């Protein structure tokens, strides 16, 4: 059985609330103002970071990412450095490796003492297509971009419903939320609702009431097994945490190879045990964590003898 899902990147509800408060409520000097280019840069980095808000610095090339996502390098470069000034980016060093950290993401990641999964939505990857974000940078429209993220949050929740629903929004409500002039607001409506590369389609507008939905290219088809997805995510998070705490040197590509090996060698086979007996979940997770921990320790012991990290990890598993 397959389902249509939003093809996107995770964004915490509290993360968006923080960005909105920073723009609309906080008082700061001009050098710490949240600009459109810095917000676009933040969205770009959000698409690249891992589940705890980290990007391995040695794998990160800002110019290449701008070329890949059709973004203006000069603006994004300035936005990148401003994010450090604002405090939305930090440098973190873990076991000799240097990471770029998104601290607001790290603040809401579940921990051993606080296991609650925070509310989140998915920002469609299509937001990077065809230079759509360039319009916000050119128009210096940071509030308009925050308004778009707010709409995406609402549309994502509507897309999760079993029957297709259209999100309804009043024009006057949108205007009041964005806190812009009428001229800027009308430009925003044209870009977000009627632009060539927009993520949103308007079914109709009657008496100032919009009926909205995502455009079709926001979605992808996926074979659905929510329990397996959760089981796999738990294993991947455990592996990432073990590797970060280890002395093993690895790239993002090597991490993906190890995650793929884990899926084939232990995650999928051990999930069959859970399917056969739901009461086995806690035991299976504990065994799986032990296997991953022992495998990472083996990588540490054999570091000087490993030629292909992913292949050796698979053999160890």
């Amino acid at each position: 059985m397959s389902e249509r899902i939003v093809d996107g990147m995770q964004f915490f509800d509290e993360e968006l609330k923080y960005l909105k408060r920073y723009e609309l409520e906080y008082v700061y000097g001009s050098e710490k103002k949240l600009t459109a280019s810095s917000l676009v840069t933040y969205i770009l980095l959000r698409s690249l970071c891992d589940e705890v808000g980290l990007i391995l610095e040695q794998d990160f090339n800002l110019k290449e990412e701008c070329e890949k996502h059709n973004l203006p390098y000069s603006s994004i470069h300035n936005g990148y450095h401003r994010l450090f000034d604002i405090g939305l980016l930090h440098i973190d060093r873990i076991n000799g490796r240097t990471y770029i950290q998104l601290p607001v993401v790290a603040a809401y990641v579940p921990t051993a003492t606080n296991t609650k999964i925070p509310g989140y939505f998915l920002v469609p990857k299509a937001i990077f297509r065809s230079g759509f974000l360039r319009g916000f940078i050119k128009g210096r429209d940071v509030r308009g971009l925050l308004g778009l993220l707010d709409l995406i949050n609402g549309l994502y929740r509507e897309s999760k419903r079993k029957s297709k629903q259209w999100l309804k929004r009043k024009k006057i409500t949108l205007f009041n939320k964005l806190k812009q002039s009428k001229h800027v607001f009308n430009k925003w409506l044209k870009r977000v609702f009627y632009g060539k590369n927009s993520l949103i389609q308007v079914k109709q507008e009657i008496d100032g009431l919009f009926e909205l939905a995502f455009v079709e290219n926001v979605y992808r088809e996926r074979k659905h097994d929510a329990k397996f997805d959760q089981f796999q995510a738990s294993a991947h998070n455990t592996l990432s945490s073990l590797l970060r705490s280890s002395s093993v040197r690895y790239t993002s590509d090597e991490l993906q190879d190890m995650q793929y090996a884990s899926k084939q060698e232990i995650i999928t086979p051990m999930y069959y045990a859970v399917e056969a007996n739901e009461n086995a979940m806690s035991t299976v997770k504990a065994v799986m964590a032990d296997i991953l921990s022992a495998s990472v320790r083996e990588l540490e012991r054999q570091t000087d003898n490993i030629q292909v990290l992913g292949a050796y990890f698979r053999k160890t598993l």
Side-chain angles (χ1 to χ4, degrees):
M1 181 179 178
S2 64
E3 65 170 343
R4 193 178 69 153
I5 63 169
V6 173
D7 185 15
M9 55 187 169
Q10 189 182 68
F11 216 96
F12 293 137
D13 294 340
E14 291 297 328
E15 194 177 353
L16 177 56
K17 287 179 183 177
Y18 178 86
L19 292 170
K20 288 162 70 176
R21 285 197 301 271
Y22 190 91
E23 167 63 19
L24 299 173
E25 298 177 19
Y26 291 0
V27 177
Y28 41 74
S30 60
E31 73 282 357
K32 290 193 174 183
K33 181 177 174 59
L34 183 63
T35 61
S37 58
S38 57
L39 183 52
V40 169
T41 307
Y42 184 87
I43 295 170
L44 173 64
L45 296 173
R46 193 64 172 92
S47 73
L48 300 172
C49 72
D50 66 10
E51 68 279 355
V52 294
L54 294 175
I55 301 169
L56 189 60
E57 189 181 50
Q58 70 182 50
D59 290 346
F60 178 66
N61 185 309
L62 187 61
K63 189 170 184 178
E64 286 182 3
E65 293 299 333
C66 288
E67 291 172 356
K68 187 188 303 181
H69 294 93
N70 195 15
L71 294 170
Y73 174 68
S74 178
S75 298
I76 298 302
H77 180 267
N78 291 336
Y80 177 71
H81 288 285
R82 182 172 288 255
L83 290 174
F84 282 102
D85 295 335
I86 290 173
L88 288 173
L89 285 185
H90 290 165
I91 292 295
D92 198 3
R93 291 180 175 84
I94 305 173
N95 288 320
R97 288 186 288 270
T98 302
Y99 294 88
I100 300 160
Q101 184 193 57
L102 282 68
V104 181
V105 176
Y108 295 106
V109 172
T111 63
T113 55
N114 182 13
T115 58
K116 183 180 178 182
I117 299 174
Y120 71 90
F121 59 101
L122 296 183
V123 176
K125 293 177 182 177
I127 198 170
F128 294 113
R129 290 181 192 158
S130 304
F132 175 63
L133 290 172
R134 283 176 172 265
F136 292 94
I137 295 174
K138 186 176 180 180
R140 299 182 178 181
D141 191 8
V142 60
R143 295 188 179 185
L145 188 48
L146 287 169
L148 172 63
L149 291 174
D150 204 38
L151 274 180
I152 288 172
N153 191 353
L155 285 164
Y156 174 73
R157 298 185 190 286
E158 286 299 322
S159 74
K160 298 286 284 182
R161 296 175 184 269
K162 289 184 179 179
S163 59
K164 184 177 180 180
Q165 300 287 327
W166 291 79
L167 182 70
K168 295 181 179 180
R169 287 289 185 269
K170 290 182 178 179
K171 188 174 183 178
I172 187 64
T173 302
L174 293 172
F175 176 71
N176 290 335
K177 272 190 172 184
L178 291 180
K179 301 183 186 301
Q180 297 173 318
S181 69
K182 286 186 177 180
H183 176 70
V184 174
F185 176 68
N186 287 331
K187 280 190 172 183
W188 180 84
L189 285 179
K190 186 176 180 181
R191 181 185 305 121
V192 173
F193 288 175
Y194 304 108
K196 180 181 177 182
N197 301 309
S198 177
L199 307 177
I200 298 170
Q201 56 179 311
V202 180
K203 181 182 180 182
Q204 61 182 2
E205 178 195 354
I206 300 176
D207 297 329
L209 179 66
F210 292 103
E211 289 190 34
L212 310 168
F214 280 133
V215 296
E216 285 302 313
N217 68 8
V218 158
Y219 298 97
R220 65 180 174 88
E221 292 291 325
R222 184 188 70 169
K223 187 175 180 181
H224 181 57
D225 186 341
K227 288 184 178 179
F228 176 79
D229 291 345
Q230 188 176 21
F231 186 75
Q232 178 175 256
S234 175
H236 283 178
N237 289 347
T238 298
L239 176 60
S240 295
S241 178
L242 287 167
L243 286 168
R244 280 195 301 271
S245 301
S246 75
S247 60
V248 179
R249 305 290 181 185
Y250 61 93
T251 65
S252 295
D253 288 342
E254 287 171 330
L255 174 60
Q256 288 182 0
D257 290 342
M258 287 186 280
Q259 288 177 334
Y260 186 65
S262 296
K263 179 179 180 180
Q264 290 190 316
E265 302 298 333
I266 62 168
I267 296 173
T268 300
M270 295 187 81
Y271 183 68
Y272 293 150
V274 178
E275 285 189 312
N277 179 6
E278 290 188 3
N279 294 328
M281 176 64 84
S282 59
T283 302
V284 168
K285 280 189 173 182
V287 171
M288 188 162 58
D290 284 345
I291 293 171
L292 292 171
S293 180
S295 299
V296 170
R297 288 199 301 272
E298 177 65 14
L299 293 184
E300 287 184 297
R301 284 194 293 268
Q302 299 294 332
T303 296
D304 295 336
N305 302 320
I306 298 173
Q307 293 183 333
V308 182
L309 188 59
Y312 191 87
F313 181 72
R314 181 185 292 274
K315 180 182 177 181
T316 303
L317 286 176

